[in-house]
Each structure stands twice: as structure tokens, then as C-alpha cells.
Amino acid sequence: ATRLQQHQVVDSAITVIAPPHQFVTMQMKKRRTAKGVIAKRRSTRIILLALIFCYSWFLAQQYLAHKKLHQNQHQEAATHIESIRIVKPDVVSFLEHEKQEYNPTEAGKIQIEFHDRDDRDDRSVCLSPERDAPWVLDGSCAKHPHLSKFSSIGPIRSCGFCGDNAAYLRELRDEISVKYQEKCKDLVVYGAALGLKYENMLRSKEVISGHISKVVKRHGTCFFQFVTDVNCTGNTLTGDGSQNLVVIDPGRMPYNSNRRNTKVIKFNPGLLFPWADRVIWQDAKLQKKDTKYLLPSDYLLHFNRTVERFGTCSSFMGLPHHKYAVQDAKEVNVMAHCDTIVSASWSRPSVSDNLNVLRTQCERSEKRLRNLLAQEARSEIFDKAPLVDTAFIVYDMRTPECKQFNGNLGCSLLDEIHCYSDRDQVSFPLVVANSELRLSPTLRTPGHDLRDRVYMNENDVPILHISKRSCHWYYQSFSRCVAPEGEEIGDSFNDENKAEEEKEIPRVAVIVAGTLQRFKFFKSTHDRLIKPITKTMSVDYYVSMTTAKAQAYRSGSGYADHLQPDPAFPTSTLDDSIDIEEYVRKSVGGDARIGALQIQESIAIDSEPMLKARREKALTDNPNEDPDQIFPMIDNRSADIARRTANGNRNLLKMHLAIQNLWKSALKWEAEEGFKYDYVFFLRDDILWLKNFDIMNIAKKEGDIFVSSCDARNLPLDPNELSDHILISRRNAADLFGNYYSTLFQTDIRGCMAHLPKKLTSGGKRGCSSEMLLKWVTEEQSIKATKFGSVSSICQVVRWIKYARSFFPF
């Protein structure tokens, strides 16, 4: 209406000055315009209202469906919540506590006994929608049966393949044994894909990841997948021919639910593969082609990095502090994980077969965990049961003790699953708490939940390992993260297999070393460098940071003594800065893979053999001088400059030694995973990226290395210098700069100095700067260096910071 009034006002004004024939024409145009605007807006409103109505109707239907489902589940659970008890002859004390009479003829049967809710022992209540299914895992014939002794359900069950109900599982076990025992005794990797969705994935080369086939070609690892063969294909191998398919009849499995039947397979490695020394469970979902989880390229090596390294019987992955695990909760706990599962049910109704049972189980688990800690005077901080992701489990089955523990653990989890929800990760914390395992005393330090954890039994024997949660596959660096720092390059990869590797997208390594204090622009590197590159290439990120304050080159000049860490980083109070490590892994993990992440107090150069020998020689020649003031840079124009140069040399050597250590990690992953990087970025720690970096512009240029021209900086580069703030190398030249620390000791420092104009050397008192040394080395090694424009204004920003003292408030 307002717009129409405005049109009328304008028309009235026009009538004053316009001729009659023009007035009529303009009037008609205005009316048509007004009618068109009104009609267009009316149709837009109708469409929007229709969309809002449809969406509201959809939400209402979803709500009503969930409400009806929850009401039905609640009524069903309420009908049985008072009554269902599993009675067995080996728990007479439990029956006496309940004031019930024990009848041997009724052992193992379900007895219905109604009594008051307040007097009920929650441990004995079964709420599962499949609680009436027979317990097929009878271990009565075994000499040392697996027992559900860690379960909270009450009477202890035994687990084995005895009795008629387990006949089908015995058949599967014997069939596998006949075919594969001799070949696969050393290591078995298995999983289950029950149902059409995952079976189609395994049978399709287009959907399944090619990772497993590469592992089999290189190491001959035995992979098994249990399937139901819904489409009756009769195939015995996956689509890529890498995994053996074990077809099961779902009608002869104990449960109607594929998820519950999967648990029977998952937690019985010792029963299905009793002859195997090492067994690894791997969920089928981890093998999707579109995932970037970085599964192990050598599963035996992964076993050695987890179970073997910590001396435990099994190893699990800690549940990450990630939106898929605990949404936006401040900490990882049972209730946060349960809330996440319930929330996921809106988009994935099959996330659990009974959400009410899940919620009840979560509340009871939380309550019992608190009670256990209070009753046994256990430390809530250090003995709190861990949450894990059971999609990847490593079992050591080489000793009777480990076989028994792993069997008891699996039996206890299956007992919980039989009576409660089908989500085994919810059952895990209480089962571990009931096992009375304790966190190793040596690991009882603040921040333990961020690190690897080892739980010990009453005899202080390591039993259970939980990998640090920031190593989770959500962050794309799973297999690398569990490897110990400083691990030598193994013989996992050989050149004979290289030709068989299919060419993947180009790969880039980004290597950064420096101090946490100067590591100021992490976000700009992530947002402006890593993210843009990942659009066309795969990126691995290698970073080394030291926490100790180092004496800067321009120490005492004012601004250099007041540098502060990046405020985006958490303020760490932990000695090893493990919280900063997790922050970096979580920040980068969504886009790139972490190749190495080293946070330490300082880089130990004093004991490094090459530097130690050079220092001894320098002290012999000049006993009254600081041995570091003449290598690798020389500047003795004054005592103050000589002191600064010594500090600068120490910092430069520390940086390049750190880069060399990172480069060793890069070489290790190239060898182990069977690939070569296409480009390697060597970066200083204080680079600020102001624009997105386009690596394709570099790829089009000729040259072995690419350096910034720094043509925008105040005080231009000398013709004898190459900027060393950023160096991009093709793989054929990367070894020289990855090992630049060692290269410096093989460089003719005096020869570089003699190459300079006399006006720069100040009569032999001044040698090559770090940027002059870089140009000298590249020319001596016949490396073609190509300069690119300062698209990121790197040098300009860095130089501006160095010289703009007047802008600082001190």
C-alpha cells in the first residue's frame, strides 16, 4: 500500500509538468508495474506459505511417530521392568540377597516375579526388545569358559560354543579353521556387513575403498567379512577380491536384529578364530570409498604400535570430543554420548532398536559408575571408566591370560547387550568399571583423558590400552597418530610394489617448525593455505613447536621480548601441552591429515654429533669466543652484533633440525603407505597468509623450487639472497631442503662469504645471512629456483612487524 501511494504521488507530480499524451502512457506503465509487483509478491507469499505448511506437517508427523514409538516402548518396558530375572546356579548368594528360593530344575530359565519397584535390584532387569532370544553362547563344556564377570546384569553367564544352540556357530568356526588356519595364524582382520547396504558396498569396486586390496597385495594380510548374502550371489570374495566372505544364515543367528548379531561376531574373536595369535576387528563402515580415515597400511605394524608397545591384551580407540560422538558437550561422558545417539535417531531411525531402553541404560550406568567410585573410594578423576569407539579393536590372543581377559570382556559386553540396548559403546564404561582395572599410576597426571591410557589389574599387569582420542579416524590421521615419535623407517614398503599402486590425486606436505611463542598465524595457514590446496590435492601437515622461550635474534630491541602465542590456542597448564596437540588435530583434521605433531620444551642440539664436533673445533681455534657466532652465519662487526648472531645461529639450527626430524616422518609415511609427495612446503613459524594460495599457479611454472620474490617488502632483498620464509619444492629436490640441517654442515660457509661483494663483508667480519646461504646452496646443487609474486604479502608483513616498533604499546 505504501508503494502504491508513492506511485500515486509521483504520478500526481508528473501531471504538473508532463504533456497529456505522455501522462497517459506513463500512467499505464505505472499501473502495469504496480499490478505486476503485487502479483509477483502474492505468488511468492503463497509459495513460501506452502513450503512452511509442508515442512510443519513433516515435522509434526515425525514427532507423532516418535512419540507413538516411545509410548509403545515405554509400555512394553514397563510391563517387564519388574519381573525378568536370569537365574543360574552359580550365583546362590545373589538369590539369597533377593530372598528367593533356588530351584535347580529351573536353572537358566526366565522367572517372572512381581515386586515393589523401590526394592528392585536394577542389575537383574532385562529391558531389551530381544531379551527372550535364547542365550546361544554356552561355555559349560570348556575347561576355562569365558564369563560375564564384568557385567552389571547380575548372575554370571558363560560364553562358548557348547550345546545345541551353538551348533551353527561351531560349524562356522570349523569351516573357517579348515580353510584358513595355516595361512592366517599370525594375524586375522575381520568385520561383519550384515544387511543389504554394507553387502552391496563390499561387492562394488566403485563403492569400497581400494585401501584393503593394496594392503593384501603388499603384506598378504588375511581379511574376513561376515555377510548374509541377501542377493544370493554366492560370491566368496569382495568386489576387489581382497577379503574372504563368510556367509551366514541370519535365520540361524540368535537375534532378529542384524546389529545385535554383529555384536555376537564382534566380541567373540577367541571363539571364531581360536587358532589366531592376533585378531583385529574393523567395522565395515570404515571401508567406504569416500572416507579419509587413514586406516593402517600395515596391520601387523599397527598391532605392534598399540598392544605390543603398551604390553596389554587389547587396545581400543578413545571416544573423541567430536560432534558425532558428544555433540557440543563440554566433556566426553556417558550421558553426552547417549544424547547424541538419541538426536541422531531423527535422521537415522535405525540407530538403535529401542531408544527408551537406551535412555534407561544410560541413566543407570551413570548412577552405578558414581556409586562404584564412591563405595570403593576410587578416584573419580583417574579411575573413571573410559568411553571408546568399538569400530576398531586390537586383540592379543597369544597368551592364556589375554585370551581369558578378552573373552571375559566380550562375554560381559554381550550380556549387557542381551539385556539392554544394542549400542555396545554405552555398555563399555560400566563393564570396565566392574572389571576393577585401574589406570596405571605412572599415567595419573592431569590431562590423562587426552593421552594414551593403560589400565592394570590387581597385580599391576597392563591389561587394557585406550588410544588417545585425538587419534580418532574422524581426524583423518588414525594409523599415523598411534605411531611413537622417532620411530625408524621400516621395510614395510618395497619398490616392487610401487608400480602396482594406482596414481591418486597429487599429494602435498606442509612442514612448519618453530616456537609456540612465535606460532602466531596458525588459523591463516589453515584457512588460506591448507583449505584451498585440498580442493585439488591431498595435504599432510607436519608441525614442530617448542614451548620454552628462546632468546630472539633481536633480543633486547623492545618488541622481540614481548611476543605472545596465538590467542586462538588454548592456554595450556599441562607439561606436555597435550591440550594444544588435540586442538591442532581437531582443527586440521577436517581438511588435512597430520603427518607429525611434535610439541616439546626445546630442540636438543647440544648433543647433536655434527654440531658438537664443530663447536669443539671452534673453541680450539678461538677459545674466548662463543662457538656459535661463526656458524652458519658470520657477523663480527661488533660485540653486540656477534652476540645476536650467536643467538640467531642457535635458533636457525634448532629450526632446521626440527624440520629434518619432520622430514624423516614424511619419508616414513611415504615408505610405509607407498606413495611420493608431489610438492613439499617448508615454512617459517611466523608467516601470515592474507589471501588464498593457488598452488595450480605454481604447478604451471618451471623450476625445482619456488620462493617468494618479496618484491613488496620495505628494504628489498639483496641480489645474493633468496627468501627463506617460504620454500615450495618439487619432490625431486625436497630431500636437499628436508635435510637442510645436515646440508649446512656440508656447505662451504667461507666460500659463500668470498662470493659476496666486499662492501657486504665489512673487511671479512661479515659472512652470508641465512637467505644468502640458501641461494648459495641452490646454485651449488644446480637447483633451479623460480620466484613467484608476493600474493600473500608474506615478506611485507613479516618485515613490517620487525621494524614497526612504534606501533607497540611498550
Side-chain angles (χ1 to χ4, degrees), residues 525-568:
T525 300
H526 177 240
D527 294 347
R528 301 297 192 186
L529 176 66
I530 294 176
K531 276 189 175 182
I533 294 178
T534 55
K535 294 179 180 179
T536 54
M537 301 184 182
S538 175
V539 179
D540 290 345
Y541 188 50
Y542 297 81
V543 59
S544 172
M545 291 184 285
T546 56
T547 57
K549 289 188 176 182
Q551 199 165 16
Y553 172 67
R554 297 184 182 275
S555 176
S557 60
Y559 68 93
D561 297 326
H562 295 274
L563 295 175
Q564 299 297 319
D566 190 335

Side-chain angles (χ1 to χ4, degrees), residues 302-312 315 394 465 467 482:
H302 187 91
F303 178 93
N304 294 335
R305 288 168 173 169
T306 52
V307 166
E308 189 76 20
R309 174 186 172 193
F310 294 98
T312 60
S315 175
V394 184
H465 168 244
S467 292
V482 301

